[in-house]
Amino acid sequence: MKSVNIKKISQLAGVSPTAVSFVLNNREGVSEETRRKVQEIIKQEGYIPNINSRRLSMKRSFNIAFINSETYAMFTDAFANGTVKAAVCKANSMGYNIMLLPEMNLKNRDYLTTVIGQGDIDGALVMHDIDPVIYATLKENKIPMVAIDSHMQNPPYPCIMMRYEELAYQVCMYLIGQGHRDIAFLGIESLPEFYLRCLKGYQRALSEKNLPIRAEWILSAADDGINVPEAVQNTLKEKLSREHLPTAIFCVNDLTAIGAISGLVQMGASVPEDVSIISIDDISVAKYYIPPLTTLRVDTAYMGEKAVEILHNIIEGKSEGEVFCMDAGELIVRKSVHSLNP
Amino acid sequence: MKSVNIKKISQLAGVSPTAVSFVLNNREGVSEETRRKVQEIIKQEGYIPNINSRRLSMKRSFNIAFINSETYAMFTDAFANGTVKAAVCKANSMGYNIMLLPEMNLKNRDYLTTVIGQGDIDGALVMHDIDPVIYATLKENKIPMVAIDSHMQNPPYPCIMMRYEELAYQVCMYLIGQGHRDIAFLGIESLPEFYLRCLKGYQRALSEKNLPIRAEWILSAADDGINVPEAVQNTLKEKLSREHLPTAIFCVNDLTAIGAISGLVQMGASVPEDVSIISIDDISVAKYYIPPLTTLRVDTAYMGEKAVEILHNIIEGKSEGEVFCMDAGELIVRKSVHSLNP
DNA sequence: ATGAAAGCGCTAACAT
DNA sequence: ATGTTAGCGCTTTCAT
């Protein structure tokens, strides 16, 4: 197809392929005059270097894999939307392609090994956390990775983290500020580390305001990580009775909040009149839900970009990787919290 | 890193690199004995051929790009979830990687040109439809593409299609079967072709049952393709009055239905008691919305797989591409439609 | 059926 | 600063 290659460019410019290569890679070692001449020819011919040749000689793929772990489905995770888009743009602007890998079950794990063996991955990005087996595979093969929004308290790998305890604290303080005293906590078991961190924030806020922490109001849904709202819905109907309800529930994320609201409505309670709901994330449907969710927004786009930057630095050997903590989020006040203040 | 290459394998097996290459690619021209011996050595050494070398010599990338057009954000399109996952798995099983490209605005279009110029794409997949400029770029560069769920009536490119007129008809007939006579149509302007096809089905159903088609009940929201529910919400509040409402609205997709419901609720109407809502898609939140949506489910996973198959055949020169029509969908009856039958 | 050898289009070490 | 040349690890043509 495209017959113009580095050799042809070098001939047209009257220089050696090396000179052209240097110009292409912005390296010094060519005179300004040569550089300009080469650049002109390149532009004139619309020349774009063949990436595969480059890959072969440099033993690098310029590919970053987006890996999904077995228990996690990125494309049903509303949270991931902003992150992925931003990561793709950032990666592209830095010369990487983003390669999409399937959810990592046993069969697909072999595929990962193959792709790595082929030399087709320079690094990997992961949403939230990574299956230990997959992580081991990456490590064995010296493929650097960065987790975006790790839920762990002390993640063993480079990642972008939110201060979830802090966020939970902030959200609960808001509830208290609105006059709530009977505040329940609602977490999901598929995200145990995340659960614990949020719970800590909840407990700290209540303690600080001398509010009793009642065991009956620490709720958890035994979800499978996929159908979160449904599991939450069932949990609520099972564990709460219409007659004895908290005035507010802090749900660990929007999907949980959605499940909670639909569960409460099915029980005949109304939100926010009977029970206020607050959560963390601000996923795209949050503002169209009924009632629109009051939730703590997280800057997902920035997380995606930052993750790519960190990964790049590891790939280039400029860094060992880091745990990057995001600043706190922004509370988006909508309609799911009712004020009890006079 | 991995120092084992085809040469080493050939030496260990006591044959030529050519023989090994033939074995790797399942080509004839080697004796059964040689083949077995080579396979044994390959297994023993855990040898995986270098993909970039392969790409260079074959002038093929084994990459399929997932392209998003400017006015469309795949990761906020709940519909795309199932499709993308299935497409990735299928593509991988056929030896392709899926490369994620950013939304195609002007700047990113240059990136597409670059990626193509680099020789890094064998074919492209697109959700719904593709920007004409992007399509032209692909065509100029002889990059085959397949659109998944094209909304066009007569798409000029290979694609997977739903019979939306048929689906709309089916859905409206269901409404009529539930005793509804005052049925409104609600489309979105960002999807004009899709709008028209659904409208046709709506009109056909009503005509067939001798129901009047009233201009005032053919509603359209002037959305930007991104914040669909919000635009729909506003449209409804503007064009409908609480006193004069249809008993049912057929919304062209779930996101539109969500906007419609929240708009109606804000107007003081209740769904489905005052107004029934039905739509097409069955996106993941559909069953958690209040009320849970009655909607026509589309087999998104199958669409993704089929698209990859068709694309592969074009890439291999086995086919010119085709327009593949899906069978009709499955009506998921939940709570958003109220029966008016005695 | 088998192997030698010439690419594929770059990068990089080395010589000038 | 510039050019020569030898890879990178495959596929493929062409002899044998």
Side-chain angles (χ1 to χ4, degrees), chain A residues 1-2 48-53 55-56 59-61 63 66 73-78 80-82 84-85 88-89 91-93 95-103 107-108 111 113-120 141 226-231 233 255 258-259 261-262 265-266 284-285 287-290 292, chain B residues 1-2 48-53 55-56 59-61 63 66 73-78 80-82 84-85 88-89 91-93 95-103 107-108 111 113-120 141 226-231 233 255 258-259 261-262 265-266 284-285 287-290 292:
Chain A
M1 40 187 77
K2 188 172 59 74
I48 300 174
N50 181 302
I51 185 85
N52 292 322
S53 175
R55 284 171 171 145
L56 180 59
K59 297 192 171 197
R60 279 196 50 187
S61 70
N63 280 156
F66 222 115
M74 177 173 79
F75 292 102
T76 55
D77 176 16
N81 290 342
V84 177
K85 274 198 293 185
V88 171
C89 284
N92 288 346
S93 77
Y96 293 100
N97 284 140
I98 292 283
M99 183 189 296
L100 215 52
L101 255 37
E103 291 161 43
K107 188 180 138 217
N108 292 335
Y111 186 70
T113 313
T114 304
V115 174
I116 293 175
Q118 287 177 149
D120 215 9
N141 291 282
I226 311 286
N227 292 312
V228 175
E230 195 164 27
Q233 206 179 57
L255 239 36
I258 286 177
I261 295 175
S262 55
V265 168
Q266 285 177 14
S284 55
V285 293
K287 70 174 179 200
Y288 305 115
Y289 210 70
I290 301 177
Chain B
M1 41 186 75
K2 188 173 60 72
I48 300 175
N50 180 301
I51 184 83
N52 291 322
S53 175
R55 285 171 169 144
L56 180 59
K59 298 192 171 196
R60 280 197 48 187
S61 70
N63 281 156
F66 223 114
M74 177 170 82
F75 291 102
T76 55
D77 177 14
N81 291 342
V84 177
K85 274 198 293 188
V88 171
C89 285
N92 288 346
S93 76
Y96 292 100
N97 284 140
I98 292 283
M99 182 189 299
L100 214 51
L101 256 36
E103 292 162 39
K107 188 180 137 215
N108 292 336
Y111 186 70
T113 313
T114 303
V115 175
I116 293 175
Q118 287 177 150
D120 215 10
N141 291 282
I226 312 288
N227 292 312
V228 175
E230 195 165 26
Q233 208 179 54
L255 240 34
I258 286 176
I261 295 176
S262 54
V265 168
Q266 286 177 12
S284 54
V285 293
K287 70 175 180 200
Y288 306 115
Y289 210 70
I290 301 176

Side-chain angles (χ1 to χ4, degrees), chain B residues 185-244:
Chain B
F185 168 90
L186 175 54
I188 51 178
E189 295 175 11
S190 64
L191 267 24
E193 306 256 0
F194 177 55
Y195 181 111
L196 253 31
R197 291 171 61 193
C198 288
L199 185 59
K200 273 192 190 173
Y202 163 83
Q203 290 170 326
R204 184 151 64 84
L206 268 61
S207 305
E208 203 169 302
K209 294 291 181 181
N210 293 312
L211 260 29
I213 295 170
R214 299 165 56 180
E216 57 178 322
W217 282 352
I218 299 195
L219 273 15
S220 60
D223 69 308
D224 60 356
I226 312 288
N227 292 312
V228 175
E230 195 165 26
V232 169
Q233 208 179 54
N234 296 335
T235 302
L236 245 51
K237 288 195 279 187
E238 200 177 294
K239 303 205 178 143
L240 252 33
S241 81
R242 177 75 187 81
E243 291 67 42
H244 182 56

Side-chain angles (χ1 to χ4, degrees), chain A residues 278-296:
Chain A
I278 200 165
S279 52
I280 296 176
D281 269 2
D282 194 29
I283 63 177
S284 55
V285 293
K287 70 174 179 200
Y288 305 115
Y289 210 70
I290 301 177
L293 306 183
T294 291
T295 180
L296 197 80

Side-chain angles (χ1 to χ4, degrees), chain A residues 29-49:
Chain A
V30 277
S31 66
E32 264 317 300
E33 198 196 328
T34 305
R35 188 179 298 272
R36 259 206 313 279
K37 189 164 47 180
V38 169
Q39 276 165 341
E40 192 182 317
I41 302 287
I42 286 175
K43 188 162 220 170
Q44 177 184 309
E45 297 291 312
Y47 167 66
I48 300 174

